[in-house]
mmCIF file of all heavy atoms in Angstrom:
data_model
loop_
_atom_site.group_PDB
_atom_site.id
_atom_site.type_symbol
_atom_site.label_atom_id
_atom_site.label_comp_id
_atom_site.label_asym_id
_atom_site.label_seq_id
_atom_site.Cartn_x
_atom_site.Cartn_y
_atom_site.Cartn_z
ATOM 1 N N ASP A 1 3.355 -19.772 -16.917
ATOM 2 C CA ASP A 1 2.989 -20.040 -15.529
ATOM 3 C C ASP A 1 3.744 -19.105 -14.582
ATOM 4 O O ASP A 1 3.181 -18.601 -13.614
ATOM 5 C CB ASP A 1 3.291 -21.491 -15.148
ATOM 6 C CG ASP A 1 2.378 -22.478 -15.846
ATOM 7 O OD1 ASP A 1 1.277 -22.062 -16.280
ATOM 8 O OD2 ASP A 1 2.768 -23.646 -15.960
ATOM 9 N N PHE A 2 5.011 -18.886 -14.885
ATOM 10 C CA PHE A 2 5.834 -18.013 -14.063
ATOM 11 C C PHE A 2 5.243 -16.605 -14.015
ATOM 12 O O PHE A 2 5.087 -16.014 -12.945
ATOM 13 C CB PHE A 2 7.272 -17.958 -14.616
ATOM 14 C CG PHE A 2 8.163 -17.017 -13.854
ATOM 15 C CD1 PHE A 2 8.862 -17.449 -12.746
ATOM 16 C CD2 PHE A 2 8.298 -15.696 -14.260
ATOM 17 C CE1 PHE A 2 9.696 -16.584 -12.044
ATOM 18 C CE2 PHE A 2 9.120 -14.825 -13.564
ATOM 19 C CZ PHE A 2 9.818 -15.269 -12.458
ATOM 20 N N PHE A 3 4.894 -16.065 -15.185
ATOM 21 C CA PHE A 3 4.346 -14.710 -15.239
ATOM 22 C C PHE A 3 2.981 -14.625 -14.568
ATOM 23 O O PHE A 3 2.690 -13.678 -13.844
ATOM 24 C CB PHE A 3 4.259 -14.208 -16.685
ATOM 25 C CG PHE A 3 5.620 -13.960 -17.294
ATOM 26 C CD1 PHE A 3 6.008 -14.630 -18.435
ATOM 27 C CD2 PHE A 3 6.515 -13.078 -16.718
ATOM 28 C CE1 PHE A 3 7.259 -14.422 -18.997
ATOM 29 C CE2 PHE A 3 7.772 -12.857 -17.267
ATOM 30 C CZ PHE A 3 8.138 -13.528 -18.408
ATOM 31 N N ARG A 4 2.130 -15.629 -14.796
ATOM 32 C CA ARG A 4 0.816 -15.627 -14.147
ATOM 33 C C ARG A 4 0.964 -15.640 -12.627
ATOM 34 O O ARG A 4 0.281 -14.911 -11.915
ATOM 35 C CB ARG A 4 -0.023 -16.810 -14.615
ATOM 36 C CG ARG A 4 -0.717 -16.559 -15.941
ATOM 37 C CD ARG A 4 -1.771 -17.615 -16.208
ATOM 38 N NE ARG A 4 -1.210 -18.899 -16.594
ATOM 39 C CZ ARG A 4 -0.856 -19.219 -17.837
ATOM 40 N NH1 ARG A 4 -1.003 -18.361 -18.814
ATOM 41 N NH2 ARG A 4 -0.355 -20.403 -18.104
ATOM 42 N N GLU A 5 1.852 -16.476 -12.125
ATOM 43 C CA GLU A 5 2.065 -16.576 -10.686
ATOM 44 C C GLU A 5 2.655 -15.276 -10.128
ATOM 45 O O GLU A 5 2.266 -14.820 -9.046
ATOM 46 C CB GLU A 5 2.974 -17.759 -10.346
ATOM 47 C CG GLU A 5 3.212 -17.952 -8.865
ATOM 48 C CD GLU A 5 1.935 -18.151 -8.052
ATOM 49 O OE1 GLU A 5 0.943 -18.689 -8.590
ATOM 50 O OE2 GLU A 5 1.929 -17.751 -6.873
ATOM 51 N N ALA A 6 3.578 -14.658 -10.867
ATOM 52 C CA ALA A 6 4.174 -13.398 -10.413
ATOM 53 C C ALA A 6 3.113 -12.310 -10.300
ATOM 54 O O ALA A 6 3.085 -11.550 -9.327
ATOM 55 C CB ALA A 6 5.278 -12.966 -11.375
ATOM 56 N N VAL A 7 2.213 -12.248 -11.264
ATOM 57 C CA VAL A 7 1.141 -11.251 -11.220
ATOM 58 C C VAL A 7 0.201 -11.548 -10.061
ATOM 59 O O VAL A 7 -0.184 -10.649 -9.312
ATOM 60 C CB VAL A 7 0.385 -11.205 -12.569
ATOM 61 C CG1 VAL A 7 -0.878 -10.376 -12.457
ATOM 62 C CG2 VAL A 7 1.288 -10.659 -13.664
ATOM 63 N N ARG A 8 -0.178 -12.815 -9.893
ATOM 64 C CA ARG A 8 -1.057 -13.191 -8.769
ATOM 65 C C ARG A 8 -0.436 -12.806 -7.429
ATOM 66 O O ARG A 8 -1.098 -12.274 -6.543
ATOM 67 C CB ARG A 8 -1.321 -14.693 -8.786
ATOM 68 C CG ARG A 8 -2.625 -15.080 -9.425
ATOM 69 C CD ARG A 8 -3.002 -16.526 -9.119
ATOM 70 N NE ARG A 8 -2.103 -17.526 -9.662
ATOM 71 C CZ ARG A 8 -2.080 -17.936 -10.931
ATOM 72 N NH1 ARG A 8 -2.908 -17.424 -11.794
ATOM 73 N NH2 ARG A 8 -1.239 -18.853 -11.324
ATOM 74 N N GLU A 9 0.859 -13.069 -7.302
ATOM 75 C CA GLU A 9 1.578 -12.750 -6.071
ATOM 76 C C GLU A 9 1.577 -11.243 -5.803
ATOM 77 O O GLU A 9 1.315 -10.800 -4.688
ATOM 78 C CB GLU A 9 3.028 -13.227 -6.219
ATOM 79 C CG GLU A 9 3.635 -13.822 -4.994
ATOM 80 C CD GLU A 9 5.025 -14.348 -5.310
ATOM 81 O OE1 GLU A 9 5.123 -15.510 -5.747
ATOM 82 O OE2 GLU A 9 5.988 -13.582 -5.123
ATOM 83 N N LYS A 10 1.846 -10.478 -6.838
ATOM 84 C CA LYS A 10 1.894 -9.023 -6.697
ATOM 85 C C LYS A 10 0.527 -8.472 -6.317
ATOM 86 O O LYS A 10 0.412 -7.606 -5.451
ATOM 87 C CB LYS A 10 2.374 -8.397 -8.012
ATOM 88 C CG LYS A 10 2.599 -6.938 -7.949
ATOM 89 C CD LYS A 10 3.821 -6.620 -7.136
ATOM 90 C CE LYS A 10 4.172 -5.152 -7.261
ATOM 91 N NZ LYS A 10 5.275 -4.773 -6.432
ATOM 92 N N LEU A 11 -0.525 -8.986 -6.934
ATOM 93 C CA LEU A 11 -1.871 -8.510 -6.646
ATOM 94 C C LEU A 11 -2.351 -8.932 -5.259
ATOM 95 O O LEU A 11 -3.228 -8.292 -4.684
ATOM 96 C CB LEU A 11 -2.854 -9.015 -7.706
ATOM 97 C CG LEU A 11 -2.643 -8.443 -9.103
ATOM 98 C CD1 LEU A 11 -3.586 -9.111 -10.087
ATOM 99 C CD2 LEU A 11 -2.835 -6.933 -9.109
ATOM 100 N N ALA A 12 -1.769 -9.978 -4.710
ATOM 101 C CA ALA A 12 -2.160 -10.463 -3.390
ATOM 102 C C ALA A 12 -1.660 -9.546 -2.278
ATOM 103 O O ALA A 12 -2.219 -9.528 -1.195
ATOM 104 C CB ALA A 12 -1.643 -11.880 -3.160
ATOM 105 N N HIS A 13 -0.605 -8.787 -2.563
ATOM 106 C CA HIS A 13 -0.080 -7.864 -1.554
ATOM 107 C C HIS A 13 -1.080 -6.745 -1.325
ATOM 108 O O HIS A 13 -1.701 -6.250 -2.240
ATOM 109 C CB HIS A 13 1.262 -7.265 -1.994
ATOM 110 C CG HIS A 13 2.366 -8.263 -1.997
ATOM 111 N ND1 HIS A 13 2.908 -8.778 -0.843
ATOM 112 C CD2 HIS A 13 3.033 -8.850 -3.010
ATOM 113 C CE1 HIS A 13 3.854 -9.637 -1.152
ATOM 114 N NE2 HIS A 13 3.959 -9.701 -2.455
ATOM 115 N N THR A 14 -1.224 -6.364 -0.086
ATOM 116 C CA THR A 14 -2.136 -5.275 0.253
ATOM 117 C C THR A 14 -1.354 -4.145 0.896
ATOM 118 O O THR A 14 -0.161 -4.278 1.189
ATOM 119 C CB THR A 14 -3.215 -5.756 1.250
ATOM 120 O OG1 THR A 14 -2.572 -6.113 2.463
ATOM 121 C CG2 THR A 14 -3.996 -6.932 0.695
ATOM 122 N N GLU A 15 -2.055 -3.056 1.151
ATOM 123 C CA GLU A 15 -1.411 -1.929 1.821
ATOM 124 C C GLU A 15 -0.922 -2.341 3.203
ATOM 125 O O GLU A 15 0.020 -1.772 3.731
ATOM 126 C CB GLU A 15 -2.400 -0.776 1.934
ATOM 127 C CG GLU A 15 -2.780 -0.193 0.600
ATOM 128 C CD GLU A 15 -3.947 0.774 0.700
ATOM 129 O OE1 GLU A 15 -4.382 1.069 1.830
ATOM 130 O OE2 GLU A 15 -4.401 1.218 -0.342
ATOM 131 N N LYS A 16 -1.558 -3.331 3.792
ATOM 132 C CA LYS A 16 -1.168 -3.786 5.123
ATOM 133 C C LYS A 16 0.227 -4.419 5.107
ATOM 134 O O LYS A 16 0.870 -4.507 6.131
ATOM 135 C CB LYS A 16 -2.192 -4.781 5.653
ATOM 136 C CG LYS A 16 -3.547 -4.168 5.882
ATOM 137 C CD LYS A 16 -4.554 -5.213 6.251
ATOM 138 C CE LYS A 16 -5.935 -4.591 6.290
ATOM 139 N NZ LYS A 16 -6.993 -5.545 6.314
ATOM 140 N N ASP A 17 0.667 -4.875 3.927
ATOM 141 C CA ASP A 17 1.982 -5.492 3.803
ATOM 142 C C ASP A 17 3.104 -4.457 3.851
ATOM 143 O O ASP A 17 4.252 -4.796 4.061
ATOM 144 C CB ASP A 17 2.099 -6.264 2.487
ATOM 145 C CG ASP A 17 1.160 -7.445 2.427
ATOM 146 O OD1 ASP A 17 0.834 -8.008 3.497
ATOM 147 O OD2 ASP A 17 0.733 -7.797 1.317
ATOM 148 N N PHE A 18 2.758 -3.189 3.626
ATOM 149 C CA PHE A 18 3.767 -2.137 3.565
ATOM 150 C C PHE A 18 4.169 -1.695 4.961
ATOM 151 O O PHE A 18 3.326 -1.408 5.804
ATOM 152 C CB PHE A 18 3.245 -0.939 2.777
ATOM 153 C CG PHE A 18 4.186 0.218 2.779
ATOM 154 C CD1 PHE A 18 5.351 0.186 2.034
ATOM 155 C CD2 PHE A 18 3.930 1.329 3.557
ATOM 156 C CE1 PHE A 18 6.238 1.246 2.040
ATOM 157 C CE2 PHE A 18 4.805 2.399 3.578
ATOM 158 C CZ PHE A 18 5.958 2.355 2.814
ATOM 159 N N THR A 19 5.455 -1.651 5.230
ATOM 160 C CA THR A 19 5.971 -1.161 6.500
ATOM 161 C C THR A 19 6.987 -0.062 6.206
ATOM 162 O O THR A 19 8.053 -0.342 5.642
ATOM 163 C CB THR A 19 6.667 -2.286 7.293
ATOM 164 O OG1 THR A 19 5.741 -3.362 7.456
ATOM 165 C CG2 THR A 19 7.134 -1.803 8.652
ATOM 166 N N PRO A 20 6.648 1.188 6.543
ATOM 167 C CA PRO A 20 7.612 2.267 6.290
ATOM 168 C C PRO A 20 8.867 2.081 7.142
ATOM 169 O O PRO A 20 8.789 1.605 8.275
ATOM 170 C CB PRO A 20 6.850 3.537 6.693
ATOM 171 C CG PRO A 20 5.693 3.097 7.490
ATOM 172 C CD PRO A 20 5.427 1.663 7.164
ATOM 173 N N ARG A 21 10.006 2.457 6.578
ATOM 174 C CA ARG A 21 11.270 2.261 7.277
ATOM 175 C C ARG A 21 11.839 3.541 7.866
ATOM 176 O O ARG A 21 12.588 3.497 8.824
ATOM 177 C CB ARG A 21 12.285 1.632 6.331
ATOM 178 C CG ARG A 21 11.914 0.196 5.983
ATOM 179 C CD ARG A 21 12.870 -0.377 5.003
ATOM 180 N NE ARG A 21 12.483 0.144 3.679
ATOM 181 C CZ ARG A 21 12.949 -0.282 2.558
ATOM 182 N NH1 ARG A 21 13.861 -1.215 2.526
ATOM 183 N NH2 ARG A 21 12.538 0.217 1.412
ATOM 184 N N THR A 22 11.509 4.681 7.266
ATOM 185 C CA THR A 22 12.075 5.934 7.760
ATOM 186 C C THR A 22 11.090 6.618 8.703
ATOM 187 O O THR A 22 9.889 6.332 8.693
ATOM 188 C CB THR A 22 12.370 6.895 6.595
ATOM 189 O OG1 THR A 22 11.129 7.254 5.962
ATOM 190 C CG2 THR A 22 13.316 6.252 5.578
ATOM 191 N N ALA A 23 11.598 7.550 9.496
ATOM 192 C CA ALA A 23 10.744 8.303 10.415
ATOM 193 C C ALA A 23 9.694 9.082 9.631
ATOM 194 O O ALA A 23 8.523 9.132 10.014
ATOM 195 C CB ALA A 23 11.585 9.242 11.267
ATOM 196 N N PHE A 24 10.105 9.665 8.506
ATOM 197 C CA PHE A 24 9.165 10.434 7.691
ATOM 198 C C PHE A 24 8.086 9.520 7.103
ATOM 199 O O PHE A 24 6.901 9.856 7.107
ATOM 200 C CB PHE A 24 9.914 11.171 6.574
ATOM 201 C CG PHE A 24 9.030 12.053 5.742
ATOM 202 C CD1 PHE A 24 8.381 13.140 6.301
ATOM 203 C CD2 PHE A 24 8.857 11.802 4.392
ATOM 204 C CE1 PHE A 24 7.578 13.967 5.539
ATOM 205 C CE2 PHE A 24 8.047 12.608 3.621
ATOM 206 C CZ PHE A 24 7.408 13.701 4.192
ATOM 207 N N GLY A 25 8.488 8.354 6.628
ATOM 208 C CA GLY A 25 7.526 7.393 6.092
ATOM 209 C C GLY A 25 6.537 6.939 7.154
ATOM 210 O O GLY A 25 5.336 6.802 6.891
ATOM 211 N N LYS A 26 7.034 6.727 8.366
ATOM 212 C CA LYS A 26 6.160 6.324 9.479
ATOM 213 C C LYS A 26 5.169 7.436 9.811
ATOM 214 O O LYS A 26 4.002 7.183 10.094
ATOM 215 C CB LYS A 26 6.987 5.948 10.707
ATOM 216 C CG LYS A 26 7.745 4.647 10.506
ATOM 217 C CD LYS A 26 8.671 4.354 11.663
ATOM 218 C CE LYS A 26 9.487 3.100 11.348
ATOM 219 N NZ LYS A 26 10.480 2.801 12.348
ATOM 220 N N LYS A 27 5.637 8.676 9.759
ATOM 221 C CA LYS A 27 4.767 9.818 10.025
ATOM 222 C C LYS A 27 3.664 9.905 8.961
ATOM 223 O O LYS A 27 2.491 10.095 9.285
ATOM 224 C CB LYS A 27 5.587 11.111 10.050
ATOM 225 C CG LYS A 27 4.771 12.352 10.337
ATOM 226 C CD LYS A 27 5.656 13.582 10.388
ATOM 227 C CE LYS A 27 4.816 14.824 10.666
ATOM 228 N NZ LYS A 27 5.660 16.024 10.731
ATOM 229 N N LEU A 28 4.050 9.755 7.700
ATOM 230 C CA LEU A 28 3.064 9.799 6.618
ATOM 231 C C LEU A 28 2.064 8.650 6.728
ATOM 232 O O LEU A 28 0.863 8.837 6.518
ATOM 233 C CB LEU A 28 3.764 9.758 5.255
ATOM 234 C CG LEU A 28 4.552 10.994 4.870
ATOM 235 C CD1 LEU A 28 5.279 10.762 3.544
ATOM 236 C CD2 LEU A 28 3.655 12.214 4.784
ATOM 237 N N ALA A 29 2.534 7.461 7.072
ATOM 238 C CA ALA A 29 1.645 6.309 7.220
ATOM 239 C C ALA A 29 0.657 6.540 8.361
ATOM 240 O O ALA A 29 -0.526 6.194 8.252
ATOM 241 C CB ALA A 29 2.459 5.036 7.456
ATOM 242 N N ALA A 30 1.119 7.150 9.451
ATOM 243 C CA ALA A 30 0.231 7.437 10.582
ATOM 244 C C ALA A 30 -0.821 8.473 10.190
ATOM 245 O O ALA A 30 -2.000 8.341 10.547
ATOM 246 C CB ALA A 30 1.045 7.922 11.783
ATOM 247 N N LEU A 31 -0.406 9.495 9.457
ATOM 248 C CA LEU A 31 -1.363 10.506 8.989
ATOM 249 C C LEU A 31 -2.409 9.886 8.064
ATOM 250 O O LEU A 31 -3.599 10.187 8.157
ATOM 251 C CB LEU A 31 -0.629 11.635 8.259
ATOM 252 C CG LEU A 31 0.183 12.575 9.135
ATOM 253 C CD1 LEU A 31 1.044 13.491 8.274
ATOM 254 C CD2 LEU A 31 -0.739 13.398 10.025
ATOM 255 N N ARG A 32 -1.956 9.009 7.183
ATOM 256 C CA ARG A 32 -2.882 8.342 6.265
ATOM 257 C C ARG A 32 -3.875 7.481 7.041
ATOM 258 O O ARG A 32 -5.078 7.508 6.776
ATOM 259 C CB ARG A 32 -2.103 7.475 5.274
ATOM 260 C CG ARG A 32 -2.971 6.769 4.268
ATOM 261 C CD ARG A 32 -2.118 5.787 3.446
ATOM 262 N NE ARG A 32 -2.833 5.259 2.323
ATOM 263 C CZ ARG A 32 -3.736 4.281 2.401
ATOM 264 N NH1 ARG A 32 -4.031 3.743 3.556
ATOM 265 N NH2 ARG A 32 -4.347 3.856 1.313
ATOM 266 N N ALA A 33 -3.370 6.725 8.008
ATOM 267 C CA ALA A 33 -4.240 5.861 8.804
ATOM 268 C C ALA A 33 -5.269 6.689 9.568
ATOM 269 O O ALA A 33 -6.442 6.311 9.645
ATOM 270 C CB ALA A 33 -3.398 5.029 9.774
ATOM 271 N N ARG A 34 -4.840 7.821 10.117
ATOM 272 C CA ARG A 34 -5.757 8.698 10.839
ATOM 273 C C ARG A 34 -6.829 9.257 9.899
ATOM 274 O O ARG A 34 -8.000 9.333 10.247
ATOM 275 C CB ARG A 34 -4.984 9.829 11.508
ATOM 276 C CG ARG A 34 -5.796 10.557 12.567
ATOM 277 C CD ARG A 34 -4.947 11.479 13.381
ATOM 278 N NE ARG A 34 -4.646 12.657 12.583
ATOM 279 C CZ ARG A 34 -3.663 13.496 12.820
ATOM 280 N NH1 ARG A 34 -2.852 13.297 13.830
ATOM 281 N NH2 ARG A 34 -3.461 14.533 12.054
ATOM 282 N N HIS A 35 -6.419 9.619 8.696
ATOM 283 C CA HIS A 35 -7.343 10.146 7.683
ATOM 284 C C HIS A 35 -8.385 9.087 7.314
ATOM 285 O O HIS A 35 -9.580 9.373 7.278
ATOM 286 C CB HIS A 35 -6.552 10.584 6.445
ATOM 287 C CG HIS A 35 -7.377 11.172 5.362
ATOM 288 N ND1 HIS A 35 -7.897 12.436 5.441
ATOM 289 C CD2 HIS A 35 -7.784 10.666 4.173
ATOM 290 C CE1 HIS A 35 -8.581 12.695 4.348
ATOM 291 N NE2 HIS A 35 -8.526 11.640 3.556
ATOM 292 N N VAL A 36 -7.936 7.868 7.057
ATOM 293 C CA VAL A 36 -8.843 6.775 6.699
ATOM 294 C C VAL A 36 -9.779 6.449 7.870
ATOM 295 O O VAL A 36 -10.975 6.248 7.685
ATOM 296 C CB VAL A 36 -8.048 5.526 6.263
ATOM 297 C CG1 VAL A 36 -8.949 4.312 6.119
ATOM 298 C CG2 VAL A 36 -7.319 5.807 4.952
ATOM 299 N N ALA A 37 -9.243 6.439 9.094
ATOM 300 C CA ALA A 37 -10.050 6.129 10.274
ATOM 301 C C ALA A 37 -11.139 7.173 10.510
ATOM 302 O O ALA A 37 -12.195 6.855 11.056
ATOM 303 C CB ALA A 37 -9.155 6.017 11.505
ATOM 304 N N SER A 38 -10.902 8.402 10.058
ATOM 305 C CA SER A 38 -11.897 9.459 10.247
ATOM 306 C C SER A 38 -13.066 9.315 9.269
ATOM 307 O O SER A 38 -14.048 10.043 9.371
ATOM 308 C CB SER A 38 -11.257 10.839 10.079
ATOM 309 O OG SER A 38 -11.005 11.106 8.702
ATOM 310 N N GLY A 39 -12.919 8.388 8.321
ATOM 311 C CA GLY A 39 -13.990 8.166 7.348
ATOM 312 C C GLY A 39 -13.810 8.957 6.063
ATOM 313 O O GLY A 39 -14.624 8.856 5.151
ATOM 314 N N ALA A 40 -12.763 9.752 5.997
ATOM 315 C CA ALA A 40 -12.512 10.535 4.793
ATOM 316 C C ALA A 40 -12.009 9.624 3.677
ATOM 317 O O ALA A 40 -11.379 8.603 3.938
ATOM 318 C CB ALA A 40 -11.492 11.626 5.075
ATOM 319 N N LYS A 41 -12.296 9.998 2.434
ATOM 320 C CA LYS A 41 -11.855 9.162 1.322
ATOM 321 C C LYS A 41 -10.455 9.549 0.865
ATOM 322 O O LYS A 41 -10.032 10.694 1.030
ATOM 323 C CB LYS A 41 -12.838 9.225 0.161
ATOM 324 C CG LYS A 41 -12.752 10.451 -0.699
ATOM 325 C CD LYS A 41 -13.612 10.293 -1.933
ATOM 326 C CE LYS A 41 -13.148 11.288 -2.979
ATOM 327 N NZ LYS A 41 -13.530 10.947 -4.308
ATOM 328 N N LEU A 42 -9.763 8.591 0.312
ATOM 329 C CA LEU A 42 -8.444 8.842 -0.262
ATOM 330 C C LEU A 42 -8.630 9.311 -1.694
ATOM 331 O O LEU A 42 -9.489 8.816 -2.408
ATOM 332 C CB LEU A 42 -7.601 7.571 -0.218
ATOM 333 C CG LEU A 42 -7.288 7.039 1.171
ATOM 334 C CD1 LEU A 42 -6.571 5.696 1.074
ATOM 335 C CD2 LEU A 42 -6.437 8.029 1.934
ATOM 336 N N LEU A 43 -7.834 10.271 -2.097
ATOM 337 C CA LEU A 43 -7.929 10.816 -3.445
ATOM 338 C C LEU A 43 -6.973 10.108 -4.392
ATOM 339 O O LEU A 43 -5.897 9.667 -3.989
ATOM 340 C CB LEU A 43 -7.589 12.307 -3.426
ATOM 341 C CG LEU A 43 -8.433 13.209 -2.528
ATOM 342 C CD1 LEU A 43 -7.916 14.639 -2.576
ATOM 343 C CD2 LEU A 43 -9.895 13.150 -2.905
ATOM 344 N N THR A 44 -7.360 10.044 -5.653
ATOM 345 C CA THR A 44 -6.451 9.536 -6.683
ATOM 346 C C THR A 44 -5.467 10.650 -7.021
ATOM 347 O O THR A 44 -5.667 11.812 -6.619
ATOM 348 C CB THR A 44 -7.214 9.148 -7.965
ATOM 349 O OG1 THR A 44 -7.792 10.348 -8.522
ATOM 350 C CG2 THR A 44 -8.297 8.126 -7.687
ATOM 351 N N ALA A 45 -4.437 10.335 -7.776
ATOM 352 C CA ALA A 45 -3.455 11.348 -8.169
ATOM 353 C C ALA A 45 -4.134 12.470 -8.959
ATOM 354 O O ALA A 45 -3.839 13.657 -8.755
ATOM 355 C CB ALA A 45 -2.339 10.715 -8.992
ATOM 356 N N ASP A 46 -5.064 12.116 -9.843
ATOM 357 C CA ASP A 46 -5.774 13.132 -10.629
ATOM 358 C C ASP A 46 -6.630 14.028 -9.735
ATOM 359 O O ASP A 46 -6.710 15.237 -9.949
ATOM 360 C CB ASP A 46 -6.653 12.482 -11.696
ATOM 361 C CG ASP A 46 -5.853 11.841 -12.811
ATOM 362 O OD1 ASP A 46 -4.686 12.255 -13.016
ATOM 363 O OD2 ASP A 46 -6.382 10.937 -13.474
#
């Protein structure tokens, strides 16, 4: 039960839950948001 709940909890988190703490992280998050808002797709690592 513990493991099932831990996985459920982790999967429930979304990108909206992430708050960058550094100035650089905030800059990257703003660039990403602008990119997504423009309708462009996000690429996978590959």
Side-chain angles (χ1 to χ4, degrees):
D1 291 338
F2 177 88
F3 291 121
R4 278 193 286 276
E5 182 58 30
V7 169
R8 262 194 295 282
E9 219 176 273
K10 186 71 171 176
L11 293 175
H13 290 289
T14 64
E15 294 169 6
K16 295 174 188 166
D17 295 331
F18 175 73
T19 304
R21 291 177 281 191
T22 64
F24 184 64
K26 290 174 185 175
K27 181 178 179 180
L28 290 176
L31 288 170
R32 181 187 190 281
R34 195 169 75 199
H35 182 75
V36 170
S38 75
K41 78 171 199 159
L42 297 174
L43 302 177
T44 65
D46 290 337

